[in-house]
């Protein structure tokens, strides 16, 4: 199994290109199932999750063709074509690998009138149920049955009528599934307390580009008037705000200066505000934003929340950075119940962190020391890479497959700004 080796202590300086957003890609890809035309997606990040998703779509009858990647370019273009839906079953071995596979449920149901998707099962960062996905589809007229670890959804007369649903909890995935299903319904769907994440806006914009009718884009009240059919189009995935935020933390933790080329600062103001509050200089410019550390880091108080709040997907990376702040920081995780799995590993590197339930107090320390570490989820793994970048000596981050799910060419991007980092294969 591969591992990432980092020799810490280098000040990072230079430019990092920001890739297409993983979480946007994972909801734009299943839109291929909504049309019998070809859908071309550009700026797709080269990530294990994107590959897994395209294999899942292949199994459902969509062909996928990737254009060659030119040297020096990061994103790639993929043309997906689901002329027919060959199978309406998303099997356990695919869904197990990637929770986001549940996002084929809405589009398959809308297009084929039925869909059978394996229940995702346990997840490292908490329970993560899919009840809201199912309740929203039911409100739109779907009949749902759970049996033998699968959820089977049927549109009684072949197409969903559409309907209104108010989410009791803001859910990104459930909002996405509902939006995709609603786009081909026979009537109107209204979603209340919908998620407002920029990735949801990206999905709405794609649906509109495909001929869909969506109103209230960017708000928590989305109105979708179903259409007879959607057509293909050519659409670029938005930049990854979590990748940009992660590399901003790399500038902060190493006392460096990184220009995040292609980042869209207006999609990530909770992150940029937190970066500024910890003392970093954040400059927006027309090609992205530059983050520079020119003084010691200040401690912070952060509580995760749905967009436009501070994203749970940035909590672990900020925690790594705040380990070096001068004073005590307070973090509260309100979205997932088990999202501090990086804490014991950071402690092994010399961090001083107390966790009580969903709260964590980070006591700033003068430095960290390298160690062999591993984490059980993507963002937690990134927090260990960040800690390794400033730790004294060598850090070895195991279970690199987590990082490969969400950070395109991590070692290459960090080496280019001066990090000593390499991937080693254990044969
Ligand atoms: C998405 C992101 C993930 C991010 C999360 C929160 C993708 C592929 N993943 O995950 O990176 O951390 O949003 O921003 O886009 N919930 C229920 N029932 C449901 C669905 C969710 O109770 O049916 C709860 C969850 O347990 C959680 C909260 O709602 O406590 C938010 O989860 P949700 O927004 O659905 O996260 P995902 O879409 O899975």
């Amino acid at each position: 199994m591969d591992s990432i080796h980092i020799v810490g202590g280098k000040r990072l300086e230079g430019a990092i290109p920001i890739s297409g957003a993983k979480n946007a890609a994972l909801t734009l890809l299943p839109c291929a199932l909504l049309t019998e035309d070809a859908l071309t997606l550009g700026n797709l990040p080269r990530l294990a999750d994107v590959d897994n998703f395209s294999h899942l779509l292949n199994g459902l009858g969509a062909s996928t063709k990737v254009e060659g990647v030119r040297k020096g370019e990061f994103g790639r273009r993929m043309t997906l074509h689901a002329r027919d839906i060959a199978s309406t079953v998303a099997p356990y071995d695919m869904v197990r690998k990637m929770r986001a596979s549940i996002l084929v449920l809405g589009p398959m149901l809308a297009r084929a009138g039925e869909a059978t998707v394996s229940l995702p099962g346990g997840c490292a960062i908490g329970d993560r149920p899919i009840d809201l996905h199912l309740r929203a589809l039911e409100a739109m007229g779907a009949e749902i049955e759970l049996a033998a670890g699968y959820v089977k959804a049927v549109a009684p007369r072949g197409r969903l009528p559409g309907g209104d649903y108010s989410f009791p909890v803001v859910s990104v995935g459930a909002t996405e599934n509902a939006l995709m299903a609603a786009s081909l319904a026979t009537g109107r769907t209204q979603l209340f307390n919908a998620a407002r994440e920029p990735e949801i806006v990206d999905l709405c914009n794609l649906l509109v580009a495909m001929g869909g009718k969506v109103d209230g884009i960017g708000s928590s009240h989305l109105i979708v008037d179903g259409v007879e059919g959607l057509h293909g189009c050519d659409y670029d995935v938005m930049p990854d705000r979590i990748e940009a935020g992660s590399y901003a933390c790399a500038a902060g933790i190493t006392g460096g200066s990184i220009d995040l080329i292609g980042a869209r600062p207006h999609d990530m103001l909770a992150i940029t505000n937190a970066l500024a509050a910890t003392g970093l200089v954040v400059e927006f410019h027309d090609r992205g934003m530059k983050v520079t550390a020119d003084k010691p880091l200040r401690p912070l108080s952060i509580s995760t929340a749905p967009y436009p709040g501070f994203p749970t997907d940035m909590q672990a990376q900020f925690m790594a950075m705040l380990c070096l702040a001068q004073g005590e920081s307070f973090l509260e995780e309100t979205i997932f119940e088990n999202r501090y799995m990086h804490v014991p590993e950071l402690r092994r590197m010399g961090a001083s962190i107390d966790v009580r339930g969903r709260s964590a107090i980070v006591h700033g320390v003068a430095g960290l020391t390298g160690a062999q570490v591993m984490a059980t989820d993507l963002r937690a793994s990134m927090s260990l890479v960040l800690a390794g970048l400033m730790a004294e000596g060598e850090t070895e981050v195991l279970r690199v497959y987590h990082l490969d799910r969400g950070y395109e060419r991590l070692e290459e991007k960090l080496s280019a700004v001066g990090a000593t980092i390499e991937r080693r294969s254990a044969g």
Side-chain angles (χ1 to χ4, degrees):
M1 219 182 275
D2 291 0
S3 59
I4 297 272
H5 291 251
I6 304 165
V7 179
K10 303 268 163 62
R11 177 179 186 273
L12 303 189
E13 183 156 14
I16 293 183
I18 298 306
S19 294
K22 169 181 87 77
N23 286 353
L26 296 181
T27 189
L28 301 189
L29 286 163
C31 290
L33 298 172
L34 290 168
T35 172
E36 53 191 47
D37 294 348
L39 171 68
T40 299
L41 296 176
N43 199 32
L44 269 179
R46 291 204 273 168
L47 297 171
D49 271 11
V50 169
D51 293 340
N52 283 333
F53 213 110
S54 71
H55 293 149
L56 171 63
L57 293 174
N58 293 148
L60 304 176
S63 67
T64 46
K65 200 170 124 232
V66 178
E67 281 176 26
V69 181
R70 280 169 286 220
K71 200 168 185 291
E73 265 186 15
F74 284 94
R76 61 183 176 177
R77 285 163 63 76
M78 187 187 285
T79 297
L80 303 106
H81 199 172
R83 199 171 277 116
D84 301 298
I85 304 279
S87 160
T88 54
V89 182
Y92 178 61
D93 61 332
M94 285 307 308
V95 180
R96 182 179 52 86
K97 272 193 219 148
M98 187 184 42
R99 255 192 70 86
S101 309
I102 191 69
L103 295 175
V104 298
L105 180 62
M108 263 201 302
L109 174 64
R111 169 99 179 271
E114 62 170 63
T116 304
V117 178
S118 169
L119 291 166
C123 169
I125 62 173
D127 200 20
R128 297 184 90 172
I130 58 157
D131 55 322
L132 303 176
H133 300 239
L134 306 185
R135 296 296 84 79
L137 295 175
E138 271 177 343
M140 293 159 59
E143 284 177 2
I144 291 182
E145 253 177 51
L146 297 180
Y150 279 78
V151 42
K152 179 164 187 181
V154 175
R157 276 170 295 282
R159 278 180 74 188
L160 293 173
D164 294 352
Y165 186 68
S166 181
F167 291 97
V169 172
V170 176
S171 164
V172 173
T175 301
E176 291 167 345
N177 245 332
L179 274 167
M180 291 185 279
S183 66
L184 288 179
T186 53
R188 172 171 280 199
T189 295
Q190 295 195 76
L191 302 173
F192 299 93
N193 198 27
R196 289 187 277 163
E197 269 64 6
E199 293 76 14
I200 303 266
V201 173
D202 217 27
L203 168 62
C204 292
N205 289 340
L206 172 63
L207 291 172
V208 169
M210 293 172 74
K213 291 195 177 140
V214 187
D215 252 337
I217 297 176
S219 80
S220 57
H221 177 194
L222 294 166
I223 304 162
V224 186
D225 284 309
V227 293
E228 273 297 309
L230 292 169
H231 53 73
C233 71
D234 194 326
Y235 188 88
D236 281 346
V237 179
M238 65 175 279
D240 197 317
R241 63 198 170 101
I242 306 301
E243 189 199 27
S246 301
Y247 290 130
C249 290
I253 204 165
T254 66
S257 178
I258 302 182
D259 210 351
L260 304 161
I261 305 299
R264 244 171 33 194
H266 294 286
D267 286 341
M268 44 188 292
L269 294 179
I271 300 172
T272 56
N273 286 343
L275 292 167
T278 196
L280 299 172
V281 178
V282 184
E283 296 162 277
F284 296 178
H285 56 77
D286 54 3
R287 293 176 63 220
M289 67 188 221
K290 187 171 180 182
V291 179
T292 304
D294 65 356
K295 51 180 158 321
L297 295 171
R298 286 197 294 261
L300 279 189
S301 190
I302 297 174
S303 184
T304 62
Y307 191 85
F310 185 89
T312 173
D313 284 353
M314 281 304 304
Q315 177 260 112
Q317 301 89 313
F318 263 78
M319 183 183 273
M321 183 170 66
L322 293 172
C323 286
L324 280 309
Q326 291 188 333
E328 275 184 5
S329 296
F330 179 77
L331 301 184
E332 186 190 21
E333 174 56 61
T334 70
I335 311 288
F336 294 113
E337 71 272 21
N338 190 16
R339 216 169 184 185
Y340 286 133
M341 282 169 304
H342 41 290
V343 169
E345 300 299 280
L346 289 172
R347 281 195 195 123
R348 294 181 54 245
M349 298 177 74
S352 173
I353 304 166
D354 298 321
V355 173
R356 206 160 289 152
R358 292 187 174 214
S359 302
I361 298 174
V362 182
H363 310 274
V365 292
L368 299 173
T369 46
Q372 207 179 33
V373 287
M374 67 165 97
T376 41
D377 76 70
L378 166 61
R379 307 303 170 185
S381 300
M382 187 61 182
S383 78
L384 302 177
V385 169
L386 292 171
L389 288 173
M390 73 71 55
E392 194 187 322
E394 184 166 334
T395 295
E396 182 183 4
V397 182
L398 303 168
R399 296 194 180 163
V400 175
Y401 54 85
H402 290 300
L403 290 164
D404 292 338
R405 286 189 42 227
Y407 290 93
E408 181 174 19
R409 303 204 224 171
L410 171 81
E411 317 88 271
E412 202 180 313
K413 291 189 184 189
L414 284 171
S415 300
V417 291
T420 304
I421 179 168
E422 64 176 19
R423 178 183 296 247
R424 290 188 199 151
S425 290

